[in-house]
Amino acid sequence: MELEERVAALERRLAVLEKADRGRGGAGGGGGGTDGGIPAGGGGADGGDFWALERLKEEVAKAGSPNGAVLYTGAVRLPTEERYEWQYGTFTDALLDADWSHSAESFAALGHAVRLRLLREILGGRRTAAELAELDDIGTTGQIYHHLRQLTGAGWLHTTGRGRYEVPAARIVPLLVMLSAARP
């Protein structure tokens, strides 16, 4: 590749990074930085920047969807050593045409600091209401049960018998995606 072509390619990549940075209000378009994010060039098969985005655009082009798509994916190992791999994608038109009011209960259940703490503790291995009640600043047993009911009703938790709770496998990566999207 000649020098002019290489410079042009670098300028295009820089423009994409700057555009993503303006859109996120953060450092780097791929979640890079010192906050635990994955650098933009962090691991595609060809080592290129935005490797997941590029693959998504290829799939969208194959499907002929002019308005694009959204994809989220994750490979997670929890402190309990459990491992989860998950991926979900949908076309933009389907999202924009959907009735968003059906998502309100799910979002509302996450809109409380104690509920988020309960989810984090459950993912970390505390599975019973008794274990959760031992935590500082979490509330009374009645309050804990109230929050657990809210999370269970919205699908963020389910019971596994004998008062044990867990985050359903299909909700772990979406929960972590929502938390990463909510970071300043």
Side-chain angles (χ1 to χ4, degrees):
M1 183 183 282
E2 292 198 25
L3 181 59
E4 289 178 7
E5 291 175 84
R6 291 175 62 195
V7 169
L10 285 171
E11 287 175 342
R12 284 192 300 275
R13 290 173 65 190
L14 180 59
V16 169
L17 288 171
E18 288 174 339
K19 180 179 177 185
D21 189 39
R22 283 190 303 273
R24 286 189 77 221
T34 58
D35 65 351
I38 298 171
D46 62 358
D49 290 345
F50 303 106
W51 48 273
L53 177 61
E54 294 304 322
R55 178 65 192 272
L56 175 63
K57 290 189 319 191
E58 290 171 12
E59 294 298 321
V60 167
K62 280 188 216 174
S65 178
N67 295 323
V70 173
L71 170 73
Y72 57 97
T73 184
V76 176
R77 184 179 70 192
L78 297 176
T80 58
E81 298 298 318
E82 296 164 297
R83 294 175 184 268
Y84 300 90
E85 294 180 350
W86 203 81
Q87 173 179 304
Y88 179 79
T90 188
F91 292 110
T92 306
D93 291 337
L95 285 172
L96 295 176
D97 291 343
D99 179 2
W100 291 6
S101 65
H102 296 294
S103 301
E105 181 182 357
S106 185
F107 284 117
L110 298 177
H112 196 287
V114 170
R115 291 185 202 132
L116 292 174
R117 171 111 186 263
L118 290 170
L119 287 168
R120 187 182 76 207
E121 296 295 338
I122 290 167
L123 286 175
R126 295 178 196 262
R127 301 288 168 90
T128 67
E131 291 172 321
L132 296 167
E134 294 171 358
L135 299 169
D136 292 332
D137 301 323
I138 205 82
T140 66
T141 303
Q143 291 169 327
I144 291 169
Y145 276 109
H146 167 76
H147 291 303
L148 291 171
R149 277 192 303 275
Q150 292 288 105
L151 291 166
T152 302
W156 291 110
L157 288 178
H158 69 250
T159 56
T160 60
R162 295 189 175 249
R164 295 182 61 81
Y165 293 87
E166 69 178 28
V167 178
R171 289 292 212 148
I172 291 172
V173 171
L175 173 63
L176 296 175
V177 167
M178 292 174 72
L179 288 168
S180 65
R183 292 184 71 168

